[in-house]
Tab-separated table of all heavy atoms in Angstrom:
chain	number	residue	atom	x	y	z
W	187	ASP	N	105.622	103.034	106.076
W	187	ASP	CA	104.806	104.151	105.586
W	187	ASP	C	103.371	103.946	106.081
W	187	ASP	O	102.713	102.973	105.707
W	187	ASP	CB	104.854	104.194	104.062
W	187	ASP	CG	104.216	105.458	103.498
W	187	ASP	OD1	103.408	106.089	104.223
W	187	ASP	OD2	104.532	105.827	102.350
W	188	THR	N	102.888	104.851	106.904
W	188	THR	CA	101.548	104.698	107.477
W	188	THR	C	100.448	104.785	106.431
W	188	THR	O	99.323	104.358	106.680
W	188	THR	CB	101.308	105.777	108.544
W	188	THR	OG1	101.504	107.084	107.959
W	188	THR	CG2	102.262	105.607	109.714
W	189	ARG	N	100.764	105.301	105.245
W	189	ARG	CA	99.760	105.343	104.186
W	189	ARG	C	99.499	103.953	103.608
W	189	ARG	O	98.492	103.746	102.920
W	189	ARG	CB	100.204	106.286	103.073
W	189	ARG	CG	100.253	107.750	103.478
W	189	ARG	CD	100.881	108.593	102.400
W	189	ARG	NE	102.289	108.216	102.180
W	189	ARG	CZ	103.080	108.824	101.307
W	189	ARG	NH1	102.612	109.825	100.574
W	189	ARG	NH2	104.341	108.429	101.168
W	190	ILE	N	100.379	103.011	103.875
W	190	ILE	CA	100.225	101.658	103.335
W	190	ILE	C	99.616	100.729	104.380
W	190	ILE	O	98.515	100.204	104.197
W	190	ILE	CB	101.581	101.124	102.839
W	190	ILE	CG1	102.073	101.997	101.679
W	190	ILE	CG2	101.464	99.667	102.411
W	190	ILE	CD1	103.408	101.592	101.136
W	191	TYR	N	100.303	100.510	105.475
W	191	TYR	CA	99.800	99.616	106.506
W	191	TYR	C	99.060	100.341	107.620
W	191	TYR	O	98.471	99.694	108.485
W	191	TYR	CB	100.952	98.801	107.106
W	191	TYR	CG	101.268	97.559	106.317
W	191	TYR	CD1	102.422	97.456	105.558
W	191	TYR	CD2	100.397	96.490	106.315
W	191	TYR	CE1	102.711	96.327	104.819
W	191	TYR	CE2	100.668	95.343	105.588
W	191	TYR	CZ	101.816	95.267	104.852
W	191	TYR	OH	102.090	94.144	104.113
W	192	GLY	N	99.112	101.688	107.598
W	192	GLY	CA	98.461	102.427	108.655
W	192	GLY	C	99.171	102.243	109.974
W	192	GLY	O	100.330	101.823	110.038
W	193	THR	N	98.480	102.490	111.049
W	193	THR	CA	99.069	102.345	112.380
W	193	THR	C	98.668	101.038	113.053
W	193	THR	O	99.333	100.579	113.967
W	193	THR	CB	98.646	103.517	113.275
W	193	THR	OG1	97.198	103.583	113.313
W	193	THR	CG2	99.189	104.837	112.726
W	194	GLY	N	97.590	100.427	112.573
W	194	GLY	CA	97.132	99.191	113.200
W	194	GLY	C	97.146	97.989	112.284
W	194	GLY	O	96.617	96.938	112.629
W	195	GLY	N	97.743	98.129	111.113
W	195	GLY	CA	97.808	97.014	110.181
W	195	GLY	C	96.640	97.012	109.213
W	195	GLY	O	95.732	97.846	109.282
W	196	VAL	N	96.654	96.050	108.302
W	196	VAL	CA	95.630	95.913	107.274
W	196	VAL	C	94.818	94.656	107.564
W	196	VAL	O	95.377	93.596	107.839
W	196	VAL	CB	96.277	95.805	105.873
W	196	VAL	CG1	95.231	95.498	104.818
W	196	VAL	CG2	97.019	97.087	105.535
W	197	THR	N	93.506	94.781	107.514
W	197	THR	CA	92.636	93.625	107.720
W	197	THR	C	92.664	92.735	106.483
W	197	THR	O	92.454	93.209	105.367
W	197	THR	CB	91.194	94.077	108.003
W	197	THR	OG1	91.183	94.899	109.178
W	197	THR	CG2	90.288	92.875	108.218
W	198	VAL	N	92.934	91.457	106.696
W	198	VAL	CA	93.018	90.493	105.595
W	198	VAL	C	92.053	89.350	105.882
W	198	VAL	O	92.082	88.759	106.959
W	198	VAL	CB	94.447	89.937	105.439
W	198	VAL	CG1	94.518	88.998	104.245
W	198	VAL	CG2	95.450	91.075	105.289
W	199	GLY	N	91.208	89.059	104.905
W	199	GLY	CA	90.252	87.977	105.076
W	199	GLY	C	90.777	86.651	104.546
W	199	GLY	O	91.892	86.558	104.033
W	200	ARG	N	89.953	85.654	104.675
W	200	ARG	CA	90.247	84.341	104.114
W	200	ARG	C	89.373	84.119	102.885
W	200	ARG	O	88.242	84.590	102.837
W	200	ARG	CB	90.021	83.248	105.158
W	200	ARG	CG	90.994	83.334	106.328
W	200	ARG	CD	90.711	82.293	107.390
W	200	ARG	NE	91.718	82.336	108.446
W	200	ARG	CZ	91.700	81.560	109.530
W	200	ARG	NH1	90.716	80.675	109.695
W	200	ARG	NH2	92.653	81.658	110.442
W	201	LEU	N	89.884	83.399	101.947
W	201	LEU	CA	89.274	83.288	100.627
W	201	LEU	C	87.820	82.822	100.702
W	201	LEU	O	87.480	81.897	101.436
W	201	LEU	CB	90.079	82.307	99.773
W	201	LEU	CG	89.662	82.197	98.310
W	201	LEU	CD1	89.885	83.512	97.585
W	201	LEU	CD2	90.454	81.087	97.633
W	202	ASN	N	86.997	83.510	99.918
W	202	ASN	CA	85.594	83.138	99.759
W	202	ASN	C	85.278	83.257	98.275
W	202	ASN	O	85.180	84.351	97.735
W	202	ASN	CB	84.690	84.070	100.575
W	202	ASN	CG	83.248	83.604	100.600
W	202	ASN	OD1	82.800	82.913	99.697
W	202	ASN	ND2	82.527	83.978	101.642
Side-chain angles (χ1 to χ4, degrees):
D187 189 339
T188 56
R189 293 172 296 182
I190 296 178
Y191 275 108
T193 56
V196 173
T197 300
V198 183
R200 294 177 176 178
L201 187 64
N202 188 334

